[in-house]
Amino acid sequence: KDGLTGLTGAVFELYRWDESQGTYVYNNPDEPTFTMTGPSRTSGYLLPGRYKLVEIGAPAYVYTDSSGQEHTVRFELDSTPVEFEVKAGATGAYRPGTDQLITDGVLKFYNSPKGSIQLTKYGEDAAGAKETLAGAVFRLYTDPDCTAEVSVESWSGDSLRTTDAFGVCIWENLAPGTYYVKEMETDAVKQAGYAVWSQPVAVAVEAGRLVKP
């Protein structure tokens, strides 16, 4: 619907307004959070009153590519709280203090997928034909001077990437923005008779897109 894809795995906290305390408190203190096991969830019975729903854990999507390698696409957290009101004898979520349903009475959160950069290292042989190079090493930075190396929580290490047998390396789960790829000196490239490309390459990453510089 609306060109959007339902996601699972997001984690939420549900609060209710406590008039005596003048603030929101957990709706169920024994189980303050719940995890989406499907793209939609029905709350069940809620007492009339004001509530607040907050996403505290973003979803992720796991897939396997044509080579059998598993990838995880992570999404940006939609941490903006959604306040709503439940009315006696009515179904759906209302805007607090009004008789207007929120998006047909259904609460919606939107998570933008993070982007990826896929790089292929090429060389040119004596005949002028292109060939991919394995063993080339690159790092990823957020500044053109290449002093601030990118660090992503879901990565098992730093931004260092080495091209595989097909000359390819990839950085996943990147927030939208401009990045700079810089090649490092390696024996593999030198032994193949090629020079290292010393100038950083700027790459613009957009939400949910795979960029191939």
Side-chain angles (χ1 to χ4, degrees), residues 7 30 35 39 67 88 105 118 127 146 150 163 180 188 212:
L7 299 170
D30 295 329
T35 301
S67 66
Q118 179 178 303
C146 296
V150 175
T163 56
Y180 299 85
K212 298 181 179 181

Side-chain angles (χ1 to χ4, degrees), residues 3 20 23 36 53 57 70 86 89 95 99-100 111 122 133 137 147-148 154 159 186-187 199 206 210-212:
S20 65
T23 187
M36 297 292 292
L53 188 62
E70 188 175 274
V86 172
R95 300 185 188 281
D99 291 324
Q100 296 179 337
N111 301 96
Y122 290 99
L133 296 177
V137 174
T147 60
S154 63
S159 76
T186 61
D187 291 337
Q199 295 300 314
E206 297 179 13
L210 173 64
V211 181
K212 298 181 179 181

Side-chain angles (χ1 to χ4, degrees), residues 54-128:
V54 183
E55 184 179 65
I56 62 170
Y61 175 72
V62 180
Y63 72 96
T64 303
D65 63 22
S66 58
S67 66
Q69 185 174 358
E70 188 175 274
H71 299 271
T72 300
V73 178
R74 300 187 184 276
F75 291 76
E76 296 282 358
L77 184 72
D78 184 355
S79 59
T80 303
V82 174
E83 296 185 64
F84 64 98
E85 184 176 349
V86 172
K87 295 182 179 293
T91 300
Y94 288 78
R95 300 185 188 281
T98 75
D99 291 324
Q100 296 179 337
L101 284 170
I102 297 177
T103 55
D104 299 325
V106 179
L107 303 180
K108 296 181 180 180
F109 285 75
Y110 298 92
N111 301 96
S112 296
K114 295 185 178 181
S116 302
I117 298 173
Q118 179 178 303
L119 180 148
T120 303
K121 172 68 175 179
Y122 290 99
E124 194 173 277
D125 61 23

Side-chain angles (χ1 to χ4, degrees), residues 116-197:
S116 302
I117 298 173
Q118 179 178 303
L119 180 148
T120 303
K121 172 68 175 179
Y122 290 99
E124 194 173 277
D125 61 23
K130 280 187 176 182
E131 61 177 351
T132 56
L133 296 177
V137 174
F138 298 85
R139 288 187 184 274
L140 190 64
Y141 300 87
T142 57
D143 64 311
D145 295 325
C146 296
T147 60
E149 188 173 354
V150 175
S151 177
V152 175
E153 184 179 353
S154 63
W155 293 352
S156 58
D158 57 20
S159 76
L160 187 70
R161 297 290 185 274
T162 303
T163 56
D164 60 18
F166 302 99
V168 175
C169 65
I170 189 169
W171 294 269
E172 296 178 308
N173 301 318
L174 297 170
T178 300
Y179 297 86
Y180 299 85
V181 179
K182 186 175 182 180
E183 186 174 4
M184 306 285 108
E185 293 277 352
T186 61
D187 291 337
V189 174
K190 289 181 179 178
Q191 291 171 3
Y194 296 101
V196 169
W197 186 265

